[in-house]
């Protein structure tokens, strides 16, 4: 049996070169980066290199990068910090209905404290309509937060255009770019965003480390209170090895960006061509124009059967896919993203997400599609809701 991992949007394996750079920071350079003696300074050097590399990936200045414990923390921090900093200016935040739960649940939390949140609708492919953002802005709006690439259906938002609309009204703009970095060119200067969230483990780096880009000159309160780390903005002894790994992963992502994008999209396109041709009654969720879609993403609604059953049966054959997003694997329910793009519940329940990456091969495509065909046929045969019998 082969093992084929097709869930790169949930997490990625750590590259060997990344692991090799991290290891000395557990043993040799174990010092606390805040200490003034040599082992502390060695650790500090590692942080400096990593910050430069992450900054280079997104074309920011190193001093605009703040390391955090994950993409989720970066999302929580920016929303809560802007809410706190600007509460005298207004209490209104605009986001979209298809954001990651790190944004949506933080918004819901802020609503309990008197903030008002507009959750913008998206079109049938997951795009925020710029004119809807424009008309949602009020005098009390203090922040717009729209993700750059959706983690379930791969939609790439027109962030530059959306940020411009916010800035024309003097409103700060944040983007969750966790799925974007390493998968498309990301340039904070060109996009002209004020804040950006990132995570290492989605770009072949380690889990438990992320970053927030904050444009120079904008003042926000800290989220984790304590020592003076990260220019007094994010206390706690740094995850030195993790940050070093994030730096190396960022460097590799920048150097390999085009070959990674070409490889992912080639494999993804091959897989979609076969699936579309060989499996009846399926729908591609998300953008049909693949130039506006994450290069490794497919999200397919398979009629008459449950996505979870497909997932479990593929797992018997060594294939890993997900239903909707990994974050909802413990809350069996319809995906909020598929719901927002208008996929009916009956079809959304049969959705699986396939995300390919650097280690996916052309042979994997054949193995996966052959298996998927069999699994779908078998489940449809057993399904009480098959064809004429109902749905
Ligand atoms: C994975 C993901 C996150 C969360 O990042 P973690 O580092 O796992 O906390 C946030 N937003 C998006 C779009 C993601 O895909």
């Amino acid at each position: 049996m082969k093992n084929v991992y097709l869930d790169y949007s949930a997490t990625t394996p750590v590259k060997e070169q990344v692991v090799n750079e991290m290891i000395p920071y557990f043993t040799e350079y174990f010092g606390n980066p805040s200490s003034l003696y040599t082992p502390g300074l060695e650790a500090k050097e590692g942080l400096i290199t990593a910050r430069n590399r992450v900054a280079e990936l997104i074309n920011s200045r190193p001093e605009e990068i703040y390391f955090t414990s994950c993409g989720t923390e970066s999302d929580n921090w920016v929303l809560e910090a802007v809410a706190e900093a600007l509460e005298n200016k207004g209490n209104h935040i605009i986001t979209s209905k298809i954001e990651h739960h790190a944004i949506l649940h933080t918004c819901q939390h802020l609503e309990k404290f008197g903030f008002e949140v507009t959750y913008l609708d998206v079109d049938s492919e997951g795009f925020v309509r710029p004119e809807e953002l424009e008309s949602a802005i009020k005098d009390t709006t203090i922040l717009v937060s729209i993700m750059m690439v959706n983690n379930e259906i791969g939609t790439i938002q027109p962030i530059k255009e959306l940020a411009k609309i916010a800035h024309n009204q003097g409103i700060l703009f944040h983007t969750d770019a966790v799925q974007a970095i390493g998968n498309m060119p990301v340039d904070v200067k060109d996009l002209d965003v004020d804040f950006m969230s990132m995570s290492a483990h989605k770009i072949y780096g380690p889990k438990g480390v992320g970053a927030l880009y904050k444009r120079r000159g904008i003042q926000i309160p800290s989220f984790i209170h304590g020592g003076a780390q990260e220019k007094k903005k994010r206390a706690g002894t740094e995850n030195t090895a993790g940050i070093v790994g994030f730096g190396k992963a960022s460097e590799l992502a920048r150097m390999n960006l085009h070959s990674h994008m070409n490889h992912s999209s080639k494999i993804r396109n091959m897989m979609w061509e076969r699936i579309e041709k060989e499996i009846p009654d399926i729908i591609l969720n998300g953008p049909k124009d693949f130039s506006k879609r994450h290069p490794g993403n497919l999200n397919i609604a398979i009629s008459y059967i449950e996505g979870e059953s497909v997932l479990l049966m593929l797992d018997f054959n060594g294939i890993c896919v997900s239903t909707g997003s990994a974050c909802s694997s413990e809350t069996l329910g319809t995906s909020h993203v598929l719901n927002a793009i208008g996929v009916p519940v009956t079809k959304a329940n049969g959705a699986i997400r396939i995300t390919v990456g650097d280690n996916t091969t052309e042979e994997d495509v054949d193995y996966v599609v052959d298996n998927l065909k069999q699994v779908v046929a078998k489940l449809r045969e057993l399904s009480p809701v098959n064809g004429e019998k109902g749905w």
Side-chain angles (χ1 to χ4, degrees):
M1 188 177 81
K2 269 167 89 92
N3 279 305
V4 184
Y5 179 78
L6 295 174
D7 206 9
Y8 284 82
S9 280
T11 194
T12 55
V14 184
K15 289 227 156 110
E16 203 176 315
Q17 291 141 289
V18 172
V19 175
N20 290 343
E21 282 221 14
M22 291 174 67
I23 287 172
Y25 287 86
F26 291 108
T27 51
E28 222 175 316
Y29 310 133
F30 67 89
N32 188 319
S34 300
S35 301
L36 296 176
Y37 40 71
T38 305
L41 298 179
E42 286 166 345
K44 197 169 179 177
E45 279 299 315
L47 297 183
I48 291 170
T49 305
R51 205 181 305 279
N52 289 337
R53 288 169 167 173
V54 174
E56 215 175 333
L57 178 64
I58 62 164
N59 191 30
S60 74
R61 298 164 199 264
E63 64 270 24
E64 294 171 313
I65 300 295
Y66 295 81
F67 289 114
T68 64
S69 68
C70 56
T72 299
E73 185 190 322
S74 304
D75 284 346
N76 274 253
W77 181 14
V78 69
L79 293 174
E80 297 213 7
V82 172
E84 182 184 333
L86 298 183
E87 66 185 339
N88 293 326
K89 179 179 179 243
N91 69 339
H92 182 231
I93 293 168
I94 302 174
T95 187
S96 83
K97 286 191 175 156
I98 64 165
E99 298 296 308
H100 191 274
H101 284 130
I103 294 288
L104 293 178
H105 290 169
T106 307
C107 284
Q108 286 164 17
H109 177 71
L110 288 169
E111 283 175 314
K112 286 190 217 152
F113 295 89
F115 286 89
E116 184 200 350
V117 182
T118 298
Y119 300 90
L120 295 175
D121 283 319
V122 292
D123 71 13
S124 63
E125 294 189 335
F127 294 101
V128 170
R129 297 182 191 88
E131 59 283 6
E132 280 192 26
L133 169 60
E134 192 147 20
S135 53
I137 292 173
K138 313 184 197 192
D139 292 343
T140 52
T141 309
I142 52 173
L143 179 69
V144 176
S145 176
I146 307 286
M147 72 199 318
M148 193 158 182
V149 177
N150 183 268
N151 46 301
E152 291 189 40
I153 55 173
T155 312
I156 301 174
Q157 301 292 349
I159 290 299
K160 190 174 175 174
E161 187 182 350
L162 299 174
K164 196 168 173 196
I165 291 168
H167 286 158
N168 283 344
Q169 313 277 336
I171 297 162
L172 293 170
F173 191 93
H174 165 252
T175 188
D176 174 340
V178 172
Q179 293 290 339
I181 57 166
N183 287 308
M184 56 185 282
V186 175
D187 178 332
V188 289
K189 296 267 151 52
D190 177 57
L191 293 169
D192 199 25
V193 295
D194 302 299
F195 307 100
M196 177 183 282
S197 301
M198 295 167 270
S199 179
H201 76 99
K202 306 278 176 80
I203 62 162
Y204 306 88
K207 292 167 187 60
V209 55
L212 180 68
Y213 156 81
K214 177 177 79 64
R215 188 204 292 271
R216 201 171 63 147
I218 297 174
Q219 294 300 320
I220 58 167
S222 60
F223 186 56
I224 309 275
H225 309 286
Q229 292 89 355
E230 300 296 294
K231 293 189 281 166
K232 300 189 186 159
K233 287 293 177 220
R234 201 285 182 180
T237 301
E238 298 87 343
N239 171 9
T240 319
I243 290 169
V244 164
F246 189 10
K248 186 65 184 175
S250 298
E251 183 190 61
L252 293 173
R254 180 175 56 78
M255 294 191 315
N256 302 331
L257 179 65
H258 292 284
S259 62
H260 167 79
M261 287 175 67
N262 289 340
H263 175 76
S264 298
S265 57
K266 182 176 139 199
I267 297 284
R268 185 270 314 271
N269 296 353
M270 282 174 65
M271 185 133 15
W272 172 238
E273 267 169 40
R274 272 202 64 189
I275 291 174
E276 187 181 27
K277 202 157 30 166
E278 300 176 35
I279 304 180
D281 292 327
I282 51 159
I283 296 171
L284 180 69
N285 298 315
K288 311 287 180 279
D289 175 355
F290 280 3
S291 71
K292 292 183 178 153
R293 188 173 186 120
H294 181 294
N297 172 287
L298 285 179
N299 187 307
I300 304 159
I302 309 173
S303 296
Y304 319 125
I305 57 181
E306 296 285 328
E308 276 79 21
S309 314
V310 178
L311 181 154
L312 296 174
M313 283 182 67
L314 288 175
D315 185 38
F316 284 132
N317 298 323
I319 299 167
C320 307
V321 302
S322 79
T323 55
S325 70
C327 314
S328 55
S329 65
E330 274 160 32
T331 50
L332 289 184
T334 318
S335 140
H336 67 285
V337 176
L338 298 182
N339 189 32
I341 62 171
V343 179
V345 176
T346 50
K347 293 229 188 292
N349 285 341
I352 58 166
R353 179 186 71 178
I354 294 175
T355 43
V356 307
D358 280 357
N359 301 336
T360 321
T361 65
E362 295 187 17
E363 295 80 68
D364 292 342
V365 173
D366 288 328
Y367 181 73
V368 169
V369 180
D370 291 345
N371 269 283
L372 184 63
K373 270 169 71 175
Q374 283 175 21
V375 164
V376 169
K378 196 181 259 173
L379 286 171
R380 280 182 175 166
E381 216 176 276
L382 299 172
S383 169
V385 292
N386 193 354
E388 322 82 79
K389 287 181 205 149
W391 308 2

